[in-house]
């Protein structure tokens, strides 16, 4: 009998509500079960032992892959992917908090059904719209989704109104990771694969750290492995035109002690922290290890023969600029979609870059873009939701939300409140954004 990770009533409510919006709830459940089966089969392959997570492991149905994580939280620990959980479960939890209100939101069930009928369009944007509609409804607004009409310019997502009061229109934008960030991570992955090959051929247990001074894609593909080749058991440091870095012995025994105490480790944050010997801070990282898979779950290692950690970041100015793109174009799109309707409110949600300095720069640029934007419509409030999904050693899922909002006068601020994605989250007792906590 499969056992889940935790019994979360709100997540169960969300899954149940989504199933009810479909024309065939049982078929929806089968899609999720198939995604779970595909994932288990892929992660059982020896070639994927310790491999970086691949969304393709769920199969071709990306929508089922997304929602299968919520199902796995409840009923199938073996299919629960910790590296993706915090990108998915908080949204499902909040949807579950909203479903009683969404039942009274005109068009909400149709919006959910349209999301689920696809198998190729990632559902995060539709989830953002549904949750915000539910959150507005929860604080007393009458909410109505606005149907899209073919041949007509794009419309706002939904309308809010109060008894005896005016109405306003809401448009939501869920930003994905930018193409430059994807390109940069892929470029590093190519260089890291060569490091992985040497780690396995030489059975190495090292911590390698690199700070790219040039764009990652501009470095030779063998850049990292060439420096690793200069390591002969003593600490090795370098500083050249492409970057700076070092190689030193990893804290292999700490990882082995943890395995001996608890049975096994997954190839994620805790193993990386143990190999480094300290917190990971704002580093990107890769773990390369070899040993015996845990017979209960081959995603875990139960006997470590050797293990290496590669931490990295890029401080190149071109990289900074391209990764910290600002939101002027999104503001323009929001304004266009609202301009023909009346008073409007915009919401943009974005995941924060792992590097704090890049996240800071993006926030600064967003602030400048917002202040300099010349409104030609009745967009009276604009909200930016900065999200920090975390892989945590003590929790199944966790996300920090930092909300920054802008409004054109105090009256609007009082009449139309700032609505969060995750309103129940505990507030930090300081003024720092989530990525500095």
């Amino acid at each position: 009998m499969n056992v889940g990770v935790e019994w979360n009533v709100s997540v169960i409510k969300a899954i149940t509500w989504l199933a009810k919006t479909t024309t065939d709830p049982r078929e929806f459940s089968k899609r999720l079960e198939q995604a779970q089966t595909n994932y288990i089969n892929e992660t059982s392959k020896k070639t994927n032992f310790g491999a970086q997570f691949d969304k393709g492991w769920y199969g071709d149905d990306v929508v089922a892959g997304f929602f299968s994580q919520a199902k796995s939280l409840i009923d199938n620990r073996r299919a629960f992917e910790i590296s993706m959980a915090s990108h998915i479960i908080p949204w499902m939890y909040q949807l579950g908090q909203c479903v009683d209100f969404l039942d009274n939101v005109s068009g909400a069930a149709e919006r959910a059904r349209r999301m689920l009928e696809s198998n190729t369009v990632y559902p995060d944007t539709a989830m953002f719209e549904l949750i915000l509609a539910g959150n507005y409804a929860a604080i007393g607004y009458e909410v109505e989704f606005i149907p899209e009409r073919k041949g007509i310019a794009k419309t706002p997502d939904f309308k809010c109104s109060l008894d005896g009061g005016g109405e306003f229109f809401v448009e939501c934008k869920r930003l994905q990771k930018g193409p430059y960030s994807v390109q940069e991570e892929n470029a590093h992955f190519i260089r890291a694969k060569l490091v992985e090959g040497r780690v396995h051929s030489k059975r190495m247990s090292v911590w390698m750290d690199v700070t790219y001074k040039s764009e990652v894609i501009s470095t030779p593909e063998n850049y990292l492995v060439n420096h690793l080749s200069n390591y002969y058991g003593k600490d090795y440091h370098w500083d050249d035109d492409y970057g700076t870095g070092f190689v030193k012995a990893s804290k292999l025994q700490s990882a082995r002690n943890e395995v001996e105490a608890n049975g096994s480790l997954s190839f994620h944050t805790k193993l990386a922290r143990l190999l480094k010997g300290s917190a990971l801070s704002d580093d990107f990282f890769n773990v390369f290890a070899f040993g015996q898979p845990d017979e209960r779950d081959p995603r875990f290692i139960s006997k470590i023969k050797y293990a290496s950690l590669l931490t990295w970041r890029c401080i190149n100015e071109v990289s900074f600029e391209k990764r910290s793109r600002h939101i002027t174009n999104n503001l323009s799109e929001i304004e266009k979609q609202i301009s023909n309707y009346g008073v409007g409110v915009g919401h943009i949600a974005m995941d924060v870059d792992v590097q704090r300095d890049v996240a800071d720069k993006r926030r600064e640029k967003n602030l400048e873009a917002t202040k300099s934007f010349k409104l030609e419509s009745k967009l009276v409030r604009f909200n930016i939701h900065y999200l920090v999904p975390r892989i945590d050693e003590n929790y199944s899922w966790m996300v920090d939300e930092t909300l920054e909002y802008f409004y054109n006068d105090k009256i609007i601020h009082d009449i139309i409140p700032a609505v969060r994605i995750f309103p129940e989250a505990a507030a930090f007792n300081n003024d720092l954004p989530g990525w500095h906590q």
Side-chain angles (χ1 to χ4, degrees):
M1 179 177 179
N2 288 324
V3 178
V5 178
E6 65 178 83
W7 189 256
N8 189 298
V9 174
S10 291
V11 173
I12 294 171
K13 287 178 70 175
I15 298 171
T16 303
W17 184 80
L18 289 173
K20 287 179 180 178
T21 68
T22 68
T23 55
D24 187 346
R26 180 55 193 153
E27 178 60 29
F28 174 64
S29 181
K30 286 182 178 179
R31 287 172 65 190
L32 306 195
E33 291 169 3
Q34 185 60 56
Q36 289 176 316
T37 299
N38 292 342
Y39 173 88
I40 292 171
N41 290 340
E42 289 297 319
T43 53
S44 296
K45 294 178 179 177
K46 290 183 179 180
T47 53
N48 286 330
F49 179 57
Q52 183 174 307
F53 169 73
D54 183 346
K55 286 183 181 178
W57 290 347
Y58 295 129
D60 295 331
D61 190 342
V62 300
V63 174
F66 182 97
F67 292 111
S68 73
Q69 282 305 290
K71 187 174 185 298
S72 297
L73 179 80
I74 305 303
D75 69 11
N76 197 333
R77 178 184 295 267
R78 176 62 182 83
F80 187 74
E81 172 55 47
I82 190 63
S83 67
M84 289 300 294
S86 294
H87 294 269
I88 296 171
I89 304 301
W91 297 86
M92 289 295 285
Y93 173 85
Q94 188 57 36
L95 183 66
Q97 295 284 295
C98 296
V99 294
D100 292 337
F101 300 100
L102 286 172
D103 280 335
N104 297 314
V105 171
S106 175
E110 289 78 6
R111 182 68 190 93
R113 185 181 307 117
R114 192 167 76 248
M115 168 182 71
L116 298 176
E117 283 175 349
S118 171
N119 58 18
T120 59
V121 178
Y122 205 63
D124 55 348
T125 295
M127 287 288 288
F128 185 29
E129 296 167 6
L130 286 166
I131 286 169
L132 278 183
N135 289 352
Y136 274 101
I139 58 177
Y141 287 100
E142 184 176 334
V143 182
E144 176 184 346
F145 273 89
I146 301 172
E148 294 181 359
R149 292 178 291 171
K150 291 184 178 180
I152 305 297
K154 284 189 174 182
T155 60
D157 291 316
F158 54 85
K159 177 179 70 174
C160 294
S161 57
L162 285 171
D163 289 341
E167 63 183 22
F168 60 91
F169 297 84
V170 179
E171 174 60 25
C172 309
K173 299 289 184 187
R174 178 72 169 100
L175 300 193
Q176 306 293 336
K177 185 179 292 185
Y180 184 86
S181 296
V182 174
Q183 176 199 60
E184 182 171 87
E185 291 177 20
N186 288 341
H188 169 78
F189 180 74
I190 291 170
R191 288 146 185 78
K193 286 298 288 183
L194 297 178
V195 168
E196 181 181 17
R198 184 168 181 84
V199 164
H200 289 312
S201 67
K202 300 295 183 180
R203 302 170 63 86
M204 302 178 77
S205 295
V206 299
W207 169 26
M208 184 177 195
D209 180 84
V210 58
T211 299
Y212 293 103
K213 293 191 289 187
S214 65
E215 291 182 88
V216 178
I217 200 167
S218 298
T219 65
E221 290 189 1
N222 60 359
Y223 176 64
L224 297 181
V225 74
N226 281 353
H227 281 296
L228 182 59
S229 299
N230 292 323
Y231 175 77
Y232 295 102
K234 294 183 179 180
D235 290 3
Y236 165 73
H237 295 259
W238 81 87
D239 187 346
D240 56 33
D241 291 341
Y242 297 114
T244 63
F246 61 78
V247 186
K248 59 177 65 176
S250 67
K251 306 291 185 179
L252 178 63
Q253 193 55 48
S254 295
R256 284 175 168 167
N257 291 342
E258 183 68 26
V259 167
E260 184 175 346
N262 293 302
S264 60
L265 278 170
S266 70
F267 287 76
H268 292 110
T269 309
K270 190 172 187 177
L271 177 54
R273 175 180 62 79
L274 291 167
L275 293 174
K276 180 181 176 183
S278 61
L280 291 170
S281 186
D282 57 348
D283 297 327
F284 295 96
F285 70 89
N286 309 96
V287 173
F288 313 120
F290 181 76
Q292 182 175 314
D294 191 321
E295 61 183 13
R296 300 166 297 178
D297 188 335
R299 298 173 301 171
F300 288 70
I301 188 167
S302 61
K303 184 177 181 181
I304 305 176
K305 294 185 177 179
Y306 56 86
S308 291
L309 171 69
L310 170 58
T311 50
W312 69 279
R313 68 210 61 79
C314 183
I315 60 171
N316 178 268
E317 282 300 320
V318 173
S319 172
F320 266 35
E321 285 297 318
K322 292 186 176 180
R323 277 191 285 160
S324 59
R325 57 182 183 154
H326 56 78
I327 41 76
T328 302
N329 289 340
N330 302 106
L331 264 171
S332 298
E333 290 177 7
I334 289 173
E335 187 177 54
K336 287 177 183 177
Q337 290 177 243
I338 285 175
S339 60
N340 294 327
Y341 285 82
V343 175
V345 175
H347 289 267
I348 291 182
M350 61 185 74
D351 289 346
V352 174
D353 195 285
V354 170
Q355 276 187 242
R356 295 177 188 174
D357 42 9
V358 175
D360 286 339
K361 191 175 187 69
R362 188 177 199 183
R363 186 189 192 192
E364 179 185 317
K365 290 171 71 173
N366 286 344
L367 178 61
E368 292 172 358
T370 305
K371 286 182 175 179
S372 62
F373 188 79
K374 294 182 179 180
L375 280 173
E376 297 177 0
S377 68
K378 295 179 182 179
L379 183 65
V380 295
R381 178 183 275 281
F382 175 59
N383 309 273
I384 305 179
H385 307 259
Y386 296 97
L387 305 175
V388 188
R390 301 187 186 276
I391 302 177
D392 191 85
E393 295 180 19
N394 300 307
Y395 298 92
S396 306
W397 49 272
M398 180 181 291
V399 64
D400 290 334
E401 177 185 11
T402 298
L403 175 64
E404 286 197 324
Y405 52 85
F406 310 89
Y407 52 91
N408 60 11
D409 60 51
K410 182 66 166 62
I411 295 175
I412 290 297
H413 175 54
D414 293 337
I415 293 175
I416 305 176
V419 176
R420 294 181 177 274
I421 303 170
F422 308 110
E424 290 188 354
F428 293 112
N429 294 320
N430 56 49
D431 295 325
L432 297 175
W435 55 95
H436 280 282
Q437 303 297 338

